[in-house]
Each structure stands twice: as structure tokens, then as C-alpha cells.
Amino acid sequence: MKVGFIGLGHMGGPMCRNIIKGGHEVVVHDLSEAAVQACVEIGGVAGGSVANTAAGADVVMTSLPMPKDVEAVALGPDGIIANAKAGTIYIDLSTNSPSMMKKIAGEMAAKDITTLDGPVSGGVVGAEKATIAIMVGGDKSAFDSCMPIFESFGKTIVHTGELGSGCVAKLVNNMIAFVNMTAAAEGLMLGVAAGMDPVVLNEIVRNASGNSMGYRGVAKSALERDFAPAFTVDLAYKDMRLALELADELDMPLFLGPQVHSVMRMARSKDQGGENVTAVLKVYEAAMGQQVGPAGKNS
Ligand code: NAD
């Protein structure tokens, strides 16, 4: 199957390169020429535009930052809907809103294009190693027919149910992870403010019941003073907003989610939106006028 891949960033770049390495014919597009070149060097073909990338493809994939970016690329006048042939399968790999995916799928269906939502989890390292999880909602036979492509860039590939359910699974996962990370930031700051050596504190927590993947991420950033973006505060903030919107649609009370969303909002107000999501720690450090992490290392 011929693949069109749009959005070659932190996640899309390595995912797309793994599809190319898997032997598939792939046309690629991104606003960044360097990102396109990295795929062309290993056998991808530059599409030059969304229109050219979608035209002629059997499967079109997007990995884009915000729901509005996906909407514009999918449904815009020069977008996928206007250029993909009937029978195309469109898969959005971004973390998107379930209701947005249903809207896109409805319009695509009128052009005989089948839509799947297939958000991914496992971070940039997982994307590079092709070990990410892919959670796919929508038509099962379309899912089955794309399995060889999914297997080229992911490891745990799950059909989650109806369209939008992949996004639901992803938003739930991320909300749990970000609540964990914020709890880690709060706890580490409390311990250090109380005079604990952060290295000793970390040795305790990572081997005790406070441990989690989220905890380890925050502790690593704190101790190494490394907040270089792999998954930005801005994207995490977007994911939390989408989870809150989902709860709104369901009239479900959320207690922790809105608090974590506000911590992220504070980080963004301090120009930390482009830093790694673990920079939520800096909100606590600013409040205490004190840094978690070895003295002398500043960032
Ligand atoms: P990113 O900002 O690194 O990459 C997005 C890419 O899309 C950029 O290269 C940008 O140039 C390109 N782009 C934007 N608008 C475009 C357009 N109109 N046409 C063509 N290209 C366009 O973002 P990312 O971190 O790769 O995240 C992408 C999606 O994956 C997001 O929805 C995010 O929430 C999700 N996600 C990210 C991670 C992570 O660890 N970074 C993990 C899981 C899921």
C-alpha cells in the first residue's frame, strides 16, 4: 500500500522513517524542509504539499500538534479530503479530541474515505525504536488491512473499538501520567524544601510506592537539570484540555485533572510551554524560590 505521511516532528519523523525502513512506499510532507529531507534520505518521496501527498495514496497518516492543525490538513480546501481518492484510509496518529475525529470521519465518509483515529504512546524514544503503542478506533477491516504498516512502527497495536475510542484511551492514559508527574514535582519540592538531599530522596522514592514512569521523568529532569523538549508542556496542556472537554461532554466531575491543567497553565505563563512537560516542576521551584536538583546546576 502506498502511504502519504504528513507531520514529521518529534513523533511523526521517527514513525515515518520506520514505515519507510519497513519497505513501504511513502510520500512525505512537513512545513520543515529539514524534516522532509531526513525521510527523503532513506527512501521517502517529498510530496511538496498536503494535496500531492494525499493524492494517489492508499493510506494517509497525520501526526500534527493541535486538533485545529489536523482539521485544517484533513478538511481544508487544499487538504486530504479534497485530494485523496475514493477508497483511501485516513489515519490520524495525533492525540486529538474524539468529537473532532467523529466530525472529520463524517465528512470523509461522504467522499468514500474511511477514517481511523490512531494515537500513539511511548514517546520519542519509543517512536525511534518502533516500540510505541498504537490505539486505533474505527472500522475493523480498515484496521486489519493497515496492520503491516502499523507493525513497521509500533509494537503494541490495539483495536480499541468504535471511532474515537483510540483518542479516549490516549487522553485517559495521558491524564493519569500528567497527574503522576505533577504529584512527583510537588513531592520532590516538598522534600527538598524540608531539607532533604534530592539524590537521597530520589533513591528512596524510585524504590518505594511513589515510583512511576511519570515520577522518574520528573526526577531525571530535576537532577540533571534537563528540560529539553521531547514532549512539550504545550502539547501536554492540549491533552489535558481535551480530557477536560471529554469530561464536560459526559458531565463527569474531575478533581485532579483541572488542577494539573492549571499548573501547566502557570508553566506556560512563565514561557515554559516549549520545554519538556517535566518543567511543571519549575512552577513549584518558582513558588519556593529554590531549585530541586544538585546545587550549581541551573536551568
Ligand atoms: P511536533 O511539534 O514535534 O511535530 C509536529 C510537526 O507537524 C512539525 O514538524 C510541524 O512542522 C508539522 N506541521 C504542523 N502543521 C503542519 C501542516 N499544516 N502541514 C504539514 N506539517 C505541519 O509534535 P510531536 O511532539 O511530534 O506531536 C505530534 C502529535 O503526537 C501531537 O498530537 C502530540 O500530542 C502527539 N504525541 C506526542 C508525543 C511526544 O512524545 N512528543 C507522544 C505521543 C503523542
Side-chain angles (χ1 to χ4, degrees):
M1 287 201 281
K2 188 171 169 185
V3 178
F5 201 110
I6 301 160
L8 307 166
H10 284 104
M11 292 301 283
M15 289 194 289
C16 181
R17 290 195 290 279
N18 283 328
I19 298 173
I20 297 168
K21 286 177 201 162
H24 299 280
E25 193 184 339
V26 188
V27 180
V28 304
H29 179 59
D30 195 285
L31 302 176
S32 155
E33 190 49 39
V36 170
Q37 273 314 310
C39 292
V40 168
E41 276 163 18
I42 59 162
V45 174
S49 66
V50 171
N52 284 344
T53 305
D58 302 303
V59 177
V60 181
M61 295 179 150
T62 48
S63 175
L64 296 163
M66 301 292 163
K68 68 176 168 45
D69 300 315
V70 179
E71 186 177 26
V73 166
L75 301 181
D78 299 319
I80 295 164
I81 196 166
N83 293 284
K85 61 182 192 235
T88 299
I89 298 171
Y90 167 53
I91 309 172
D92 183 32
L93 304 168
S94 323
T95 305
N96 203 338
S97 110
S99 46
M100 166 69 76
M101 287 313 300
K102 286 178 187 158
K103 177 188 174 204
I104 290 173
E107 296 194 27
M108 292 282 186
K111 295 279 183 90
D112 200 17
I113 298 167
T114 302
T115 301
L116 301 175
D117 58 313
V120 300
S121 182
V124 174
V125 172
E128 279 162 359
K129 292 184 177 165
T131 56
I132 49 174
I134 314 170
M135 44 211 104
V136 187
D139 184 81
K140 178 73 164 58
S141 62
F143 167 80
D144 289 338
S145 69
C146 293
M147 192 51 98
I149 301 170
F150 290 136
E151 284 173 343
S152 66
F153 71 97
K155 190 173 172 196
T156 306
I157 301 148
V158 181
H159 184 252
T160 49
E162 66 177 22
L163 184 91
S165 60
C167 288
V168 171
K170 175 66 182 168
L171 294 179
V172 167
N173 176 74
N174 281 19
M175 184 174 80
I176 293 169
F178 300 145
V179 168
N180 260 293
M181 283 183 188
T182 310
E186 200 162 296
L188 284 169
M189 187 72 253
L190 182 64
V192 169
M196 281 286 306
D197 177 337
V199 176
V200 174
L201 184 57
N202 180 46
E203 197 53 34
I204 302 296
V205 177
R206 63 182 293 118
N207 291 298
S209 50
N211 191 18
S212 68
M213 193 185 283
Y215 167 78
R216 290 192 298 278
V218 173
K220 187 170 187 295
S221 286
L223 294 175
E224 296 175 6
R225 299 315 293 175
D226 181 1
F227 296 90
F231 183 74
T232 61
V233 171
D234 283 343
L235 286 178
Y237 180 75
K238 174 261 300 184
D239 291 354
M240 282 305 308
R241 177 174 57 77
L242 296 180
L244 301 191
E245 281 175 12
L246 184 61
D248 271 348
E249 287 168 20
L250 298 168
D251 254 340
M252 173 177 165
L254 292 183
F255 301 101
L256 301 177
Q259 310 267 16
V260 169
H261 192 237
S262 284
V263 175
M264 291 174 176
R265 186 172 290 168
M266 288 182 76
R268 281 161 50 91
S269 76
K270 302 283 184 198
D271 288 333
Q272 283 145 9
E275 294 190 42
N276 201 49
V277 58
T278 48
V280 290
L281 177 69
K282 293 186 179 181
V283 171
Y284 295 93
E285 292 181 333
M288 296 305 290
Q290 190 182 354
Q291 193 175 280
V292 174
K297 279 196 173 183
N298 293 304
S299 79

